[in-house]
């Protein structure tokens, strides 16, 4: 089992810190926990991206490339991800 803590907003957007472009690049980057400081994961509640739901939580992991394209094409809002 693994846990993720995402309650620490940083001073950075995800576009400033990684290979994220377009609308999603403006979203805030959150940091959590003391593990995985050199990695990132995208968690979201948008079921339109074809990502895998984590259990029955309504939270999905992954789908970054699809999310960037969908947001830039106006299919989803940057707030959805």
């Amino acid at each position: 089992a693994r846990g993720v803590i995402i309650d620490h907003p940083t001073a950075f957007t995800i576009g400033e810190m990684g290979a994220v472009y377009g609308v999603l690049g403006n979203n805030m980057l959150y940091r959590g926990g003391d593990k995985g400081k050199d990695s990132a994961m995208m968690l979201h509640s948008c079921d339109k991206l074809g990502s895998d739901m984590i259990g029955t939580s309504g939270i999905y992991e992954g789908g970054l490339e699809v999310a960037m394209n969908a947001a830039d094409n106006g299919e989803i809002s940057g707030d959805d991800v």
Side-chain angles (χ1 to χ4, degrees):
R2 65 182 175 167
V4 178
I5 302 168
I6 54 171
D7 62 347
H8 294 88
T10 69
F12 306 102
T13 65
I14 58 175
E16 292 174 307
M17 300 305 291
V20 178
Y21 55 83
V23 174
L24 290 188
N26 297 321
N27 285 5
M28 293 304 303
L29 178 67
Y30 286 80
R31 180 185 63 81
D34 59 350
K35 305 285 184 196
K37 293 180 182 178
D38 60 347
S39 63
M41 68 171 45
M42 184 176 85
L43 300 175
H44 57 88
S45 60
C46 186
D47 62 353
K48 301 174 186 175
L49 301 179
S51 301
D52 293 329
M53 185 187 302
I54 300 171
T56 59
S57 65
I59 302 296
Y60 299 84
E61 179 180 0
L64 180 59
E65 189 74 29
V66 175
M68 286 190 293
N69 291 330
D72 287 345
N73 292 333
E75 298 166 18
I76 62 171
S77 163
D79 294 334
D80 291 336
V81 184

